[in-house]
Amino acid sequence: MALDRGAATPFYLVRSEPIQASLRELESQPFGFPTRHWFSCKTQPAAPVLRWWRGQNRPIEVVSEFEFRAALREGFPATSILVNGPAKHRWLPRVSIPGIRVHFDSMNELKALESQARAHQWKLGLRLRTRGEMDPENPDRPTQFGMDPSEFQVAVRRLQRLGLPLETLSFHLRTNVPSPDFYQAALQEAAEVCEAARFRPRHLDCGGGLPPPHVLMRRGIRYDARMSLQELASMYRRQRHRWPSVEELWLENGRFLFAGSGALAIRVLDIKERGGLRQLICDGGRTLHALISTWEHHELIPLVPRRGTKIRTVVHGPTCMAFDQLAYRQLPKGIRIGDVLIWLEAGAYHLPWETHFCHGLAQVWWEDDAGLQLARDAESFEAYWGRWR
Ligand SMILES: Cc1ncc(COP(=O)(O)O)c(C=O)c1O
């Protein structure tokens, strides 16, 4: 246990075993295509996770210069790096190496990068924005990603005319896709777009989006309430005949593979009782470590079980923001100052959204077959302040 080894709250604990278990679950599904799972680096950009994934000879998907450089630093070969995301023309030219895979997100990006694509022998894909890809917060507005079908066709023709190796059709619908129907609608639309463009992809990259188990929306419903892996795989099998040229299905699931691999440990520093509420003020919380708690509800368990009636409790972080509420729920009255609380499913979109709001970054512990080790120190004052010139 990390606390016995000197871990100091707040800290994240990340373990390889749950990642392996989720991979096994996904890989046991017969999707009807040979399937390749890419590590969505943005989900959990932590060095030990990259090293572990690399050690399994698995490929990585990156969307920024720093992620790309991290993948190179950790020894991923060029052919195992897929560069995705918008506006890559701003940074990719200064760090590109031969042989990588690049998915163009727009015509402007394609035109800005096509000569480098040739010079560096990139393998190429195009990201399609399917009809269903609307901003979840503003459902009347399309998302900003990928190319609409008409633009997609122009891009296919251009790359074919230039003789560049266009191999992949890619889309990423959104995160926490509610059911297989959404992927099915996207696949049907994508097949029509490919037909119209006379594009026969070798790879079909359907992005990420699978909801992880155990995570609830704030209204208490599981994100995966209507998602079944068996039904998803069966849907892919039914679509197989529409994609005769496809040699591999590519998936980039972040949350599904990684959420369960992490936990956040925080300590209760102060307790207030007011307005019929118990307020636990802790050394970590939403603002610093778990922005995701704004819309997700995860399990929160006291490390040492406490008795007592359960009462309405708010778990606050230490920042001066009323917003800093990791959880609001019934918790045992016996919880006291000094107790450690564990927030689960913290292995996806916690570390990359950690903030520096008046405090330094937390420790990160990593556990794999070789044991438990401190992977990242808590940020020191010197690191926090010393970067100012
Ligand atoms: C292109 C792409 N692939 C994969 C992912 C991973 O998504 P998720 O964590 O929902 O599986 C994302 C997330 O934003 C993405 O933008």
Side-chain angles (χ1 to χ4, degrees), residues 40 42-43 61 63 84-85 127 145 170-172 174-177 183 205 207-211 251-257 348-349:
S40 159
K42 71 180 88 57
T43 304
E61 180 248 356
V63 293
N84 250 335
R127 176 156 171 187
F145 307 112
S170 131
F171 59 74
H172 168 72
R174 52 177 285 186
T175 199
N176 288 325
V177 175
Y183 289 105
D205 179 348
L210 268 184
L251 300 177
E252 305 165 354
N253 289 295
R255 273 171 206 284
F256 180 86
L257 290 178
Y349 305 110

Side-chain angles (χ1 to χ4, degrees), residues 22 140 144 261 275 282 299 301 330 360:
S22 322
D140 56 328
Q144 70 271 42
S261 68
C282 305
E299 263 206 74
I301 32 184
Q330 301 280 334

Side-chain angles (χ1 to χ4, degrees), residues 53-355:
W53 191 269
R54 161 84 189 87
Q56 305 222 339
N57 286 321
R58 293 178 182 273
I60 186 166
E61 180 248 356
V62 300
V63 293
S64 69
E65 176 180 348
F66 283 6
E67 286 177 17
F68 181 75
R69 291 172 60 179
L72 291 180
R73 176 84 56 94
E74 298 305 334
F76 284 85
T79 50
S80 295
I81 302 179
L82 165 58
V83 187
N84 250 335
K88 302 182 270 301
H89 49 304
R90 183 175 73 88
W91 59 270
L92 192 51
R94 52 173 185 267
V95 289
S96 168
I97 57 166
I100 55 176
R101 295 192 171 275
V102 178
H103 289 177
F104 291 133
D105 190 72
S106 78
M107 267 317 274
N108 288 329
E109 193 188 75
L110 186 161
K111 288 180 186 167
L113 292 174
E114 63 195 15
S115 58
Q116 186 154 27
R118 186 186 303 286
H120 273 180
Q121 295 158 1
W122 295 347
K123 299 279 195 238
L124 300 175
L126 292 175
R127 176 156 171 187
L128 175 68
R129 185 191 74 85
T130 61
R131 271 191 295 276
E133 290 172 58
M134 306 300 278
D135 174 2
E137 278 165 31
N138 303 286
D140 56 328
R141 296 191 213 150
T143 65
Q144 70 271 42
F145 307 112
M147 304 184 202
D148 281 356
S150 55
E151 202 182 15
F152 188 93
Q153 291 187 30
V154 176
V156 170
R157 279 199 293 279
R158 187 174 179 98
L159 290 177
Q160 287 172 342
R161 202 172 56 245
L162 291 169
L164 290 170
L166 173 60
E167 298 190 339
T168 310
L169 174 131
S170 131
F171 59 74
H172 168 72
L173 300 183
R174 52 177 285 186
T175 199
N176 288 325
V177 175
S179 78
D181 299 350
F182 289 75
Y183 289 105
Q184 177 167 319
L187 280 169
Q188 283 166 349
E189 183 184 347
E192 283 158 23
V193 172
C194 283
E195 221 167 278
R198 297 207 178 84
F199 170 36
R200 281 177 279 283
R202 294 180 62 188
H203 317 119
L204 181 55
D205 179 348
C206 299
L210 268 184
H214 314 305
V215 177
L216 306 186
M217 299 174 209
R218 300 218 86 199
R219 1 180 212 133
I221 300 168
R222 281 174 73 124
Y223 278 104
D224 68 348
R226 291 192 290 135
M227 180 58 81
S228 132
L229 282 189
Q230 288 74 19
E231 280 169 29
L232 182 72
S234 139
M235 183 281 296
Y236 275 107
R237 290 198 301 278
R238 287 196 306 277
Q239 295 297 314
R240 178 71 180 102
H241 70 281
R242 304 194 72 156
W243 301 93
S245 62
V246 168
E247 297 161 22
E248 273 184 12
L249 172 67
W250 291 359
L251 300 177
E252 305 165 354
N253 289 295
R255 273 171 206 284
F256 180 86
L257 290 178
F258 295 96
S261 68
L264 168 69
I266 57 175
R267 193 179 293 276
V268 180
L269 302 178
D270 200 353
I271 298 183
K272 297 181 182 175
E273 313 234 358
R274 48 172 66 155
L277 269 184
R278 198 154 190 255
Q279 298 169 322
L280 310 182
I281 301 178
C282 305
D283 57 5
R286 171 186 289 174
T287 309
L288 291 167
H289 307 114
L291 283 181
I292 217 164
S293 63
T294 315
W295 63 90
E296 287 188 4
H297 184 106
H298 295 199
E299 263 206 74
L300 181 80
I301 32 184
L303 184 62
V304 175
R306 293 293 183 199
R307 284 186 227 286
T309 17
K310 291 195 169 171
I311 58 168
R312 278 199 308 147
T313 306
V314 189
V315 178
H316 292 279
T319 68
C320 295
M321 299 175 84
F323 165 81
D324 200 350
Q325 302 182 20
L326 185 64
Y328 166 55
R329 64 191 62 170
Q330 301 280 334
L331 287 175
K333 209 167 172 197
I335 294 177
R336 54 184 88 145
I337 290 176
D339 277 3
V340 171
L341 306 176
I342 313 288
W343 166 260
L344 297 182
E345 315 302 320
Y349 305 110
H350 282 67
L351 275 171
W353 272 337
E354 213 181 346
T355 74

